[in-house]
Amino acid sequence: MNKVPFYSVDYVTDSMGQGLKSAFDKVLQSNWYIRGSFGEQFEKAFSEYCGVSHAIGVGNGLDALTLMLRAAIELGRLQKGDEIIVPANTFIATVLAVTAAGLTPVLVEPDADTCNLDPMKLGEALGPKTRAILAVHLYGRVANMPEICKFAEHHGLLVFEDAAQAHGASMDSKKAGSFGLASAFSFYPTKNLGALGDAGMVLTGDAELTNVVRALGNYGSFRKYENEYLGVNSRLDEVQAALLLEKLPHLESWNARRREIAARYLKEVRNPLVKLPEEPPDPMNHVWHVFVVQCERRDDLQRFLFSRGIETLVHYPVPPHLQKAYAGGSSTSMVSEIAGEIAGEIAGNAALRHGPLPVTEALAKRVLSIPMGPGLSDDDVSQVISSLNEFV
């Protein structure tokens, strides 16, 4: 029996090894490693790919999220203490970024079928201090952005996107990351478009926001030794930019392979104990960063698949509101100040606002991510399918 990894990057090194080495050599020979031509080229290439006019490379996805929110505060679009609606079942980075910017996360239940933010629940989350929505394109599927944007416009809210899992996904011919005021991407190595280390990017159509994000990530400075803001050091280095620039032309074919695998799972898994994800009406809506099934006996299923040589992961076993980091947060009070008032500091017992979250908590107990990625062979996929169908 073959071992089937949850995810492998071998397909990158096998097919692109020489190209990546060449890209690295070009940076090495340039003698310029921070804020250089490769960073500029990748910012231009990725922003054009996503259909957005401006891009700012940063150190990682969490920084991208935090800096776009901080920039909105510096420009007076938001104020510290404002509330930001976020999906309750997201990876904690989304919520940490809101807290780090001095804002209050308001957690909203997802749609149980798509696992994305449920637009029908947005009205329940509105409060006198609600100023924005941070939508997450979870698992690689674009959230219902037309409805979210319509709601936001009606209530005078800003819209931001966490597109860390949705490189290349689209809805109504618009790419993920092009719907809101600004969006954040992660290029963690296992993303659909991954670096060989940490990297991130902010996309926006707003030139003013672009300049502030770039300054915040460069010690708060527009000009050397002149610091306008309490900034941080978060810049996309030239090595990662060159590697990402080399990989970007392959993203569409890699996403196509993910869709092929997803189509087989959706068609051939026939076990009533295993709930499959909802198939989007438009296949281009989803890039299947992970393929998440649900099972009432999730832990038993995970052990069974492991016994068959199949590696799985859980995205995510503990939702943000149940994490120790937010143990002192309140489900009813609204706290306008974050302890310390220090930019970028995550305060202990930080505040959250939310009501009951039964869908989020149930999903955390049921979801299981099965192998997905361009590196899977047809035989690997067949082994996963047959094993899922044999679980009793």
Side-chain angles (χ1 to χ4, degrees):
M1 183 179 298
N2 293 327
K3 288 189 176 181
V4 181
F6 175 74
Y7 181 79
S8 171
V9 296
D10 288 347
Y11 72 96
V12 177
T13 51
D14 290 346
S15 64
M16 297 188 61
Q18 193 55 49
L20 295 176
K21 289 177 183 176
S22 176
F24 176 81
D25 287 342
K26 290 177 183 177
V27 177
L28 190 64
Q29 292 161 13
S30 74
N31 292 321
W32 195 280
Y33 307 117
I34 301 289
R35 302 188 79 186
S37 63
F38 289 103
E40 292 174 357
Q41 290 177 61
F42 180 62
E43 287 176 348
K44 183 175 186 294
F46 192 68
S47 62
E48 288 179 350
Y49 172 78
C50 293
V52 182
S53 56
H54 301 288
I56 312 97
V58 298
N60 54 69
L62 177 57
D63 285 355
L65 288 163
T66 306
L67 291 175
M68 73 178 180
L69 296 174
R70 283 200 58 204
I73 293 172
E74 296 291 352
L75 289 169
R77 318 278 181 86
L78 296 171
Q79 295 182 358
K80 287 195 174 185
D82 283 348
E83 296 182 345
I84 311 298
I85 293 173
V86 296
N89 62 320
T90 185
F91 180 53
I92 197 170
T94 316
V95 185
L96 290 175
V98 176
T99 304
L103 305 164
T104 300
V106 180
L107 305 182
V108 175
E109 289 271 67
D111 179 284
D113 293 321
T114 67
C115 295
N116 270 331
L117 186 64
D118 186 349
M120 301 299 292
K121 302 287 179 63
L122 293 174
E124 302 171 11
L126 276 179
K129 300 195 72 176
T130 307
R131 296 291 180 269
I133 301 170
L134 175 49
V136 179
H137 307 311
L138 196 66
Y139 306 151
R141 178 172 184 155
V142 177
N144 190 344
M145 295 308 294
E147 290 299 317
I148 291 170
C149 291
K150 180 180 177 181
F151 179 91
E153 183 177 3
H154 181 72
H155 293 281
L157 307 178
L158 299 177
V159 175
F160 298 94
E161 298 172 72
D162 180 343
Q165 300 182 3
H167 312 71
S170 63
M171 177 177 283
D172 298 337
S173 300
K174 286 173 62 73
K175 285 281 200 300
S178 67
F179 290 89
L181 172 62
S183 60
F185 284 83
S186 166
F187 301 111
Y188 186 76
T190 58
K191 301 297 185 184
N192 292 42
L193 179 64
L196 269 65
D198 264 327
M201 185 164 283
V202 175
L203 296 184
T204 180
D206 188 306
E208 195 175 24
L209 190 78
T210 299
N211 292 334
V212 177
V213 170
R214 197 178 298 281
L216 285 170
N218 188 45
Y219 303 99
S221 174
F222 292 105
R223 291 171 294 276
K224 196 169 185 178
Y225 304 132
E226 296 180 23
N227 304 86
E228 305 254 346
Y229 310 111
L230 294 175
V232 297
N233 176 13
S234 183
R235 302 170 298 197
L236 176 62
D237 72 68
E238 288 288 275
V239 170
Q240 299 303 339
L243 297 173
L244 287 164
L245 192 62
E246 188 74 18
K247 294 174 75 173
L248 180 57
H250 300 269
L251 177 58
E252 286 295 308
S253 64
W254 291 339
N255 283 344
R257 175 56 180 164
R258 288 175 181 271
R259 292 187 180 104
E260 288 178 2
I261 295 168
R264 284 198 61 191
Y265 284 153
L266 291 168
K267 180 180 179 181
E268 300 177 39
V269 175
R270 287 290 179 263
N271 189 333
L273 298 176
V274 179
K275 180 183 178 182
L276 297 171
E278 180 184 85
E279 186 174 6
D282 179 0
M284 300 305 290
N285 176 232
H286 210 319
V287 292
W288 302 101
H289 172 61
V290 287
F291 192 99
V292 179
V293 301
Q294 297 181 41
C295 181
E296 293 295 338
R297 293 169 47 215
R298 190 266 310 283
D299 295 343
D300 289 339
L301 176 59
Q302 186 172 37
R303 283 189 288 268
F304 175 79
L305 292 175
F306 181 77
S307 73
R308 298 298 184 93
I310 297 167
E311 185 180 11
T312 61
L313 292 176
V314 177
H315 295 92
Y316 301 97
V318 183
H321 71 286
L322 297 180
Q323 295 283 358
K324 184 178 179 181
Y326 287 103
S330 171
S331 62
T332 55
S333 65
M334 295 187 291
V335 180
S336 63
E337 293 183 351
I338 301 302
E341 286 295 315
I342 297 174
E345 180 181 24
I346 306 294
N349 297 332
L352 298 173
R353 185 166 74 79
H354 62 87
L357 299 170
V359 176
T360 295
E361 293 176 12
L363 284 172
K365 297 175 182 178
R366 294 199 303 254
V367 294
L368 184 68
S369 300
I370 62 176
M372 169 55 74
L376 288 178
S377 69
D378 289 342
D379 287 343
D380 290 336
V381 176
S382 295
Q383 185 173 329
V384 174
I385 291 168
S386 62
S387 297
L388 285 168
N389 285 334
E390 291 166 12
F391 175 70
V392 295

